[in-house]
Amino acid sequence: MNKNIDILETAIKQAAEQGARIIVTPEDALYGWKFTRETVFPYLEDIPDPQVNWIPCQDHHRFGHTPVQARLSCLAKDNSIYVLANLGDKKPCNSRDSTCPPNGYFQYNTNVVYNTEGKLVARYHKVGKSH
């Protein structure tokens, strides 16, 4: 995954140098597409509601282990460009809820946007809960 972000970093720098204001990454660009619900889980992060006013680049432990969000936030901030990326979000659920998966988490295919200051400004769960 870090190799994919390295490639993305090069593209972001080139786009910013050429005057781009936003870069939109492809679906599954960070994770690839060969994974199952179980194999992708270790790479998921808690993606908070953007109303929390968070710049992961400056405060990357505020919502737990969020290295991918911190790196994307810093890329946006350091290059003064908006970055839209496709990540995986995980939200704990109550095991007494019949829709709660066995591992105790809902998993979401999620798009996020960081502004030119690296602030999380949008989160969109592209599809419903993954069971």
Side-chain angles (χ1 to χ4, degrees), residues 99-123:
T99 64
C100 184
N103 73 346
Y105 285 89
F106 290 126
Q107 297 176 200
Y108 299 92
N109 179 6
T110 307
N111 279 353
V112 293
V113 179
Y114 301 95
N115 71 8
T116 55
E117 297 166 354
K119 180 179 171 183
L120 176 67
V121 294
R123 175 192 70 183

PDB file of all heavy atoms in Angstrom, residues 99-123:
ATOM      1  N   THR A  99     -27.467  -7.119  12.426  1.00  0.00           N
ATOM      2  CA  THR A  99     -26.744  -6.757  11.200  1.00  0.00           C
ATOM      3  C   THR A  99     -25.244  -6.578  11.448  1.00  0.00           C
ATOM      4  O   THR A  99     -24.485  -6.369  10.507  1.00  0.00           O
ATOM      5  CB  THR A  99     -27.317  -5.465  10.563  1.00  0.00           C
ATOM      6  OG1 THR A  99     -27.104  -4.376  11.461  1.00  0.00           O
ATOM      7  CG2 THR A  99     -28.809  -5.608  10.261  1.00  0.00           C
ATOM      8  N   CYS A 100     -24.820  -6.616  12.709  1.00  0.00           N
ATOM      9  CA  CYS A 100     -23.399  -6.432  13.038  1.00  0.00           C
ATOM     10  C   CYS A 100     -22.606  -7.674  12.624  1.00  0.00           C
ATOM     11  O   CYS A 100     -22.920  -8.783  13.057  1.00  0.00           O
ATOM     12  CB  CYS A 100     -23.247  -6.181  14.538  1.00  0.00           C
ATOM     13  SG  CYS A 100     -21.551  -5.818  15.042  1.00  0.00           S
ATOM     14  N   PRO A 101     -21.572  -7.496  11.801  1.00  0.00           N
ATOM     15  CA  PRO A 101     -20.757  -8.635  11.356  1.00  0.00           C
ATOM     16  C   PRO A 101     -20.046  -9.311  12.535  1.00  0.00           C
ATOM     17  O   PRO A 101     -19.866  -8.693  13.584  1.00  0.00           O
ATOM     18  CB  PRO A 101     -19.747  -8.003  10.400  1.00  0.00           C
ATOM     19  CG  PRO A 101     -20.390  -6.733   9.956  1.00  0.00           C
ATOM     20  CD  PRO A 101     -21.175  -6.250  11.137  1.00  0.00           C
ATOM     21  N   PRO A 102     -19.606 -10.552  12.334  1.00  0.00           N
ATOM     22  CA  PRO A 102     -18.946 -11.315  13.405  1.00  0.00           C
ATOM     23  C   PRO A 102     -17.725 -10.629  14.020  1.00  0.00           C
ATOM     24  O   PRO A 102     -17.442 -10.809  15.193  1.00  0.00           O
ATOM     25  CB  PRO A 102     -18.540 -12.622  12.716  1.00  0.00           C
ATOM     26  CG  PRO A 102     -19.490 -12.762  11.578  1.00  0.00           C
ATOM     27  CD  PRO A 102     -19.800 -11.363  11.126  1.00  0.00           C
ATOM     28  N   ASN A 103     -16.994  -9.831  13.235  1.00  0.00           N
ATOM     29  CA  ASN A 103     -15.793  -9.186  13.789  1.00  0.00           C
ATOM     30  C   ASN A 103     -16.117  -7.922  14.582  1.00  0.00           C
ATOM     31  O   ASN A 103     -15.220  -7.275  15.112  1.00  0.00           O
ATOM     32  CB  ASN A 103     -14.762  -8.887  12.692  1.00  0.00           C
ATOM     33  CG  ASN A 103     -15.161  -7.735  11.785  1.00  0.00           C
ATOM     34  OD1 ASN A 103     -16.310  -7.292  11.775  1.00  0.00           O
ATOM     35  ND2 ASN A 103     -14.210  -7.249  11.007  1.00  0.00           N
ATOM     36  N   GLY A 104     -17.418  -7.541  14.644  1.00  0.00           N
ATOM     37  CA  GLY A 104     -17.817  -6.391  15.450  1.00  0.00           C
ATOM     38  C   GLY A 104     -17.635  -5.041  14.777  1.00  0.00           C
ATOM     39  O   GLY A 104     -17.687  -4.001  15.432  1.00  0.00           O
ATOM     40  N   TYR A 105     -17.429  -5.045  13.455  1.00  0.00           N
ATOM     41  CA  TYR A 105     -17.241  -3.787  12.723  1.00  0.00           C
ATOM     42  C   TYR A 105     -18.037  -3.780  11.420  1.00  0.00           C
ATOM     43  O   TYR A 105     -18.073  -4.771  10.698  1.00  0.00           O
ATOM     44  CB  TYR A 105     -15.765  -3.575  12.342  1.00  0.00           C
ATOM     45  CG  TYR A 105     -14.895  -3.167  13.489  1.00  0.00           C
ATOM     46  CD1 TYR A 105     -14.273  -4.118  14.285  1.00  0.00           C
ATOM     47  CD2 TYR A 105     -14.690  -1.819  13.781  1.00  0.00           C
ATOM     48  CE1 TYR A 105     -13.466  -3.749  15.342  1.00  0.00           C
ATOM     49  CE2 TYR A 105     -13.876  -1.442  14.838  1.00  0.00           C
ATOM     50  CZ  TYR A 105     -13.273  -2.402  15.616  1.00  0.00           C
ATOM     51  OH  TYR A 105     -12.479  -2.034  16.659  1.00  0.00           O
ATOM     52  N   PHE A 106     -18.629  -2.621  11.136  1.00  0.00           N
ATOM     53  CA  PHE A 106     -19.123  -2.372   9.785  1.00  0.00           C
ATOM     54  C   PHE A 106     -17.924  -1.846   9.008  1.00  0.00           C
ATOM     55  O   PHE A 106     -17.083  -1.124   9.552  1.00  0.00           O
ATOM     56  CB  PHE A 106     -20.243  -1.323   9.777  1.00  0.00           C
ATOM     57  CG  PHE A 106     -21.529  -1.795  10.389  1.00  0.00           C
ATOM     58  CD1 PHE A 106     -22.132  -1.075  11.405  1.00  0.00           C
ATOM     59  CD2 PHE A 106     -22.151  -2.957   9.941  1.00  0.00           C
ATOM     60  CE1 PHE A 106     -23.328  -1.499  11.964  1.00  0.00           C
ATOM     61  CE2 PHE A 106     -23.352  -3.392  10.488  1.00  0.00           C
ATOM     62  CZ  PHE A 106     -23.940  -2.655  11.518  1.00  0.00           C
ATOM     63  N   GLN A 107     -17.824  -2.213   7.738  1.00  0.00           N
ATOM     64  CA  GLN A 107     -16.727  -1.756   6.883  1.00  0.00           C
ATOM     65  C   GLN A 107     -17.324  -1.038   5.679  1.00  0.00           C
ATOM     66  O   GLN A 107     -18.286  -1.513   5.093  1.00  0.00           O
ATOM     67  CB  GLN A 107     -15.872  -2.954   6.445  1.00  0.00           C
ATOM     68  CG  GLN A 107     -15.206  -3.641   7.612  1.00  0.00           C
ATOM     69  CD  GLN A 107     -14.409  -4.887   7.270  1.00  0.00           C
ATOM     70  OE1 GLN A 107     -14.142  -5.696   8.136  1.00  0.00           O
ATOM     71  NE2 GLN A 107     -14.029  -5.058   6.015  1.00  0.00           N
ATOM     72  N   TYR A 108     -16.752   0.132   5.357  1.00  0.00           N
ATOM     73  CA  TYR A 108     -17.296   0.958   4.286  1.00  0.00           C
ATOM     74  C   TYR A 108     -16.238   1.288   3.237  1.00  0.00           C
ATOM     75  O   TYR A 108     -15.103   1.633   3.582  1.00  0.00           O
ATOM     76  CB  TYR A 108     -17.826   2.288   4.844  1.00  0.00           C
ATOM     77  CG  TYR A 108     -18.939   2.145   5.847  1.00  0.00           C
ATOM     78  CD1 TYR A 108     -18.666   2.065   7.205  1.00  0.00           C
ATOM     79  CD2 TYR A 108     -20.265   2.121   5.442  1.00  0.00           C
ATOM     80  CE1 TYR A 108     -19.693   1.955   8.134  1.00  0.00           C
ATOM     81  CE2 TYR A 108     -21.302   2.017   6.361  1.00  0.00           C
ATOM     82  CZ  TYR A 108     -20.996   1.932   7.705  1.00  0.00           C
ATOM     83  OH  TYR A 108     -22.011   1.812   8.613  1.00  0.00           O
ATOM     84  N   ASN A 109     -16.638   1.222   1.978  1.00  0.00           N
ATOM     85  CA  ASN A 109     -15.822   1.721   0.870  1.00  0.00           C
ATOM     86  C   ASN A 109     -16.074   3.228   0.864  1.00  0.00           C
ATOM     87  O   ASN A 109     -17.199   3.669   0.664  1.00  0.00           O
ATOM     88  CB  ASN A 109     -16.296   1.062  -0.424  1.00  0.00           C
ATOM     89  CG  ASN A 109     -15.537   1.541  -1.631  1.00  0.00           C
ATOM     90  OD1 ASN A 109     -14.568   2.290  -1.520  1.00  0.00           O
ATOM     91  ND2 ASN A 109     -15.977   1.137  -2.802  1.00  0.00           N
ATOM     92  N   THR A 110     -15.030   4.017   1.109  1.00  0.00           N
ATOM     93  CA  THR A 110     -15.215   5.430   1.426  1.00  0.00           C
ATOM     94  C   THR A 110     -14.318   6.338   0.604  1.00  0.00           C
ATOM     95  O   THR A 110     -13.132   6.046   0.428  1.00  0.00           O
ATOM     96  CB  THR A 110     -14.905   5.646   2.931  1.00  0.00           C
ATOM     97  OG1 THR A 110     -15.687   4.728   3.693  1.00  0.00           O
ATOM     98  CG2 THR A 110     -15.218   7.061   3.360  1.00  0.00           C
ATOM     99  N   ASN A 111     -14.884   7.433   0.125  1.00  0.00           N
ATOM    100  CA  ASN A 111     -14.077   8.476  -0.499  1.00  0.00           C
ATOM    101  C   ASN A 111     -13.885   9.594   0.519  1.00  0.00           C
ATOM    102  O   ASN A 111     -14.821   9.947   1.245  1.00  0.00           O
ATOM    103  CB  ASN A 111     -14.747   9.039  -1.756  1.00  0.00           C
ATOM    104  CG  ASN A 111     -14.520   8.155  -2.957  1.00  0.00           C
ATOM    105  OD1 ASN A 111     -13.766   7.195  -2.919  1.00  0.00           O
ATOM    106  ND2 ASN A 111     -15.188   8.466  -4.052  1.00  0.00           N
ATOM    107  N   VAL A 112     -12.683  10.137   0.564  1.00  0.00           N
ATOM    108  CA  VAL A 112     -12.365  11.249   1.453  1.00  0.00           C
ATOM    109  C   VAL A 112     -11.743  12.376   0.638  1.00  0.00           C
ATOM    110  O   VAL A 112     -11.158  12.135  -0.423  1.00  0.00           O
ATOM    111  CB  VAL A 112     -11.395  10.839   2.583  1.00  0.00           C
ATOM    112  CG1 VAL A 112     -12.057   9.863   3.546  1.00  0.00           C
ATOM    113  CG2 VAL A 112     -10.118  10.245   2.022  1.00  0.00           C
ATOM    114  N   VAL A 113     -11.866  13.597   1.156  1.00  0.00           N
ATOM    115  CA  VAL A 113     -11.249  14.754   0.512  1.00  0.00           C
ATOM    116  C   VAL A 113     -10.501  15.555   1.574  1.00  0.00           C
ATOM    117  O   VAL A 113     -11.048  15.842   2.649  1.00  0.00           O
ATOM    118  CB  VAL A 113     -12.301  15.667  -0.172  1.00  0.00           C
ATOM    119  CG1 VAL A 113     -11.615  16.881  -0.812  1.00  0.00           C
ATOM    120  CG2 VAL A 113     -13.111  14.899  -1.211  1.00  0.00           C
ATOM    121  N   TYR A 114      -9.259  15.898   1.254  1.00  0.00           N
ATOM    122  CA  TYR A 114      -8.442  16.778   2.097  1.00  0.00           C
ATOM    123  C   TYR A 114      -8.227  18.077   1.326  1.00  0.00           C
ATOM    124  O   TYR A 114      -7.950  18.048   0.127  1.00  0.00           O
ATOM    125  CB  TYR A 114      -7.092  16.125   2.421  1.00  0.00           C
ATOM    126  CG  TYR A 114      -7.285  14.809   3.126  1.00  0.00           C
ATOM    127  CD1 TYR A 114      -7.299  13.621   2.417  1.00  0.00           C
ATOM    128  CD2 TYR A 114      -7.536  14.768   4.483  1.00  0.00           C
ATOM    129  CE1 TYR A 114      -7.537  12.413   3.054  1.00  0.00           C
ATOM    130  CE2 TYR A 114      -7.782  13.566   5.130  1.00  0.00           C
ATOM    131  CZ  TYR A 114      -7.781  12.394   4.405  1.00  0.00           C
ATOM    132  OH  TYR A 114      -8.034  11.205   5.028  1.00  0.00           O
ATOM    133  N   ASN A 115      -8.346  19.209   2.032  1.00  0.00           N
ATOM    134  CA  ASN A 115      -8.162  20.489   1.343  1.00  0.00           C
ATOM    135  C   ASN A 115      -6.686  20.882   1.317  1.00  0.00           C
ATOM    136  O   ASN A 115      -5.824  20.121   1.745  1.00  0.00           O
ATOM    137  CB  ASN A 115      -9.056  21.577   1.958  1.00  0.00           C
ATOM    138  CG  ASN A 115      -8.623  22.027   3.348  1.00  0.00           C
ATOM    139  OD1 ASN A 115      -7.566  21.651   3.851  1.00  0.00           O
ATOM    140  ND2 ASN A 115      -9.443  22.844   3.984  1.00  0.00           N
ATOM    141  N   THR A 116      -6.403  22.080   0.831  1.00  0.00           N
ATOM    142  CA  THR A 116      -5.014  22.525   0.644  1.00  0.00           C
ATOM    143  C   THR A 116      -4.270  22.706   1.966  1.00  0.00           C
ATOM    144  O   THR A 116      -3.052  22.848   1.971  1.00  0.00           O
ATOM    145  CB  THR A 116      -4.980  23.849  -0.142  1.00  0.00           C
ATOM    146  OG1 THR A 116      -5.792  24.812   0.541  1.00  0.00           O
ATOM    147  CG2 THR A 116      -5.502  23.659  -1.556  1.00  0.00           C
ATOM    148  N   GLU A 117      -4.996  22.703   3.079  1.00  0.00           N
ATOM    149  CA  GLU A 117      -4.361  22.779   4.404  1.00  0.00           C
ATOM    150  C   GLU A 117      -4.225  21.387   5.027  1.00  0.00           C
ATOM    151  O   GLU A 117      -3.761  21.245   6.154  1.00  0.00           O
ATOM    152  CB  GLU A 117      -5.175  23.689   5.323  1.00  0.00           C
ATOM    153  CG  GLU A 117      -5.242  25.122   4.826  1.00  0.00           C
ATOM    154  CD  GLU A 117      -6.305  25.936   5.544  1.00  0.00           C
ATOM    155  OE1 GLU A 117      -7.064  25.361   6.349  1.00  0.00           O
ATOM    156  OE2 GLU A 117      -6.368  27.136   5.285  1.00  0.00           O
ATOM    157  N   GLY A 118      -4.682  20.349   4.287  1.00  0.00           N
ATOM    158  CA  GLY A 118      -4.616  18.993   4.791  1.00  0.00           C
ATOM    159  C   GLY A 118      -5.797  18.602   5.657  1.00  0.00           C
ATOM    160  O   GLY A 118      -5.820  17.518   6.244  1.00  0.00           O
ATOM    161  N   LYS A 119      -6.779  19.466   5.737  1.00  0.00           N
ATOM    162  CA  LYS A 119      -7.957  19.211   6.578  1.00  0.00           C
ATOM    163  C   LYS A 119      -8.933  18.265   5.888  1.00  0.00           C
ATOM    164  O   LYS A 119      -9.205  18.409   4.691  1.00  0.00           O
ATOM    165  CB  LYS A 119      -8.664  20.534   6.886  1.00  0.00           C
ATOM    166  CG  LYS A 119      -9.899  20.405   7.752  1.00  0.00           C
ATOM    167  CD  LYS A 119     -10.480  21.783   8.003  1.00  0.00           C
ATOM    168  CE  LYS A 119     -11.822  21.699   8.668  1.00  0.00           C
ATOM    169  NZ  LYS A 119     -12.411  23.039   8.851  1.00  0.00           N
ATOM    170  N   LEU A 120      -9.449  17.298   6.641  1.00  0.00           N
ATOM    171  CA  LEU A 120     -10.485  16.403   6.126  1.00  0.00           C
ATOM    172  C   LEU A 120     -11.761  17.230   5.945  1.00  0.00           C
ATOM    173  O   LEU A 120     -12.298  17.766   6.909  1.00  0.00           O
ATOM    174  CB  LEU A 120     -10.739  15.271   7.120  1.00  0.00           C
ATOM    175  CG  LEU A 120     -11.877  14.305   6.774  1.00  0.00           C
ATOM    176  CD1 LEU A 120     -11.543  13.481   5.537  1.00  0.00           C
ATOM    177  CD2 LEU A 120     -12.187  13.392   7.955  1.00  0.00           C
ATOM    178  N   VAL A 121     -12.216  17.359   4.703  1.00  0.00           N
ATOM    179  CA  VAL A 121     -13.395  18.196   4.435  1.00  0.00           C
ATOM    180  C   VAL A 121     -14.589  17.417   3.895  1.00  0.00           C
ATOM    181  O   VAL A 121     -15.697  17.955   3.835  1.00  0.00           O
ATOM    182  CB  VAL A 121     -13.066  19.377   3.481  1.00  0.00           C
ATOM    183  CG1 VAL A 121     -12.100  20.354   4.165  1.00  0.00           C
ATOM    184  CG2 VAL A 121     -12.498  18.893   2.159  1.00  0.00           C
ATOM    185  N   ALA A 122     -14.396  16.158   3.521  1.00  0.00           N
ATOM    186  CA  ALA A 122     -15.523  15.358   3.036  1.00  0.00           C
ATOM    187  C   ALA A 122     -15.248  13.880   3.261  1.00  0.00           C
ATOM    188  O   ALA A 122     -14.108  13.420   3.153  1.00  0.00           O
ATOM    189  CB  ALA A 122     -15.774  15.622   1.552  1.00  0.00           C
ATOM    190  N   ARG A 123     -16.335  13.161   3.590  1.00  0.00           N
ATOM    191  CA  ARG A 123     -16.282  11.704   3.728  1.00  0.00           C
ATOM    192  C   ARG A 123     -17.573  11.167   3.140  1.00  0.00           C
ATOM    193  O   ARG A 123     -18.657  11.601   3.512  1.00  0.00           O
ATOM    194  CB  ARG A 123     -16.197  11.319   5.205  1.00  0.00           C
ATOM    195  CG  ARG A 123     -16.272   9.803   5.437  1.00  0.00           C
ATOM    196  CD  ARG A 123     -16.471   9.461   6.888  1.00  0.00           C
ATOM    197  NE  ARG A 123     -17.819   9.838   7.321  1.00  0.00           N
ATOM    198  CZ  ARG A 123     -18.283   9.716   8.553  1.00  0.00           C
ATOM    199  NH1 ARG A 123     -17.497   9.254   9.497  1.00  0.00           N
ATOM    200  NH2 ARG A 123     -19.511  10.067   8.862  1.00  0.00           N
TER     201      ARG A 123
END
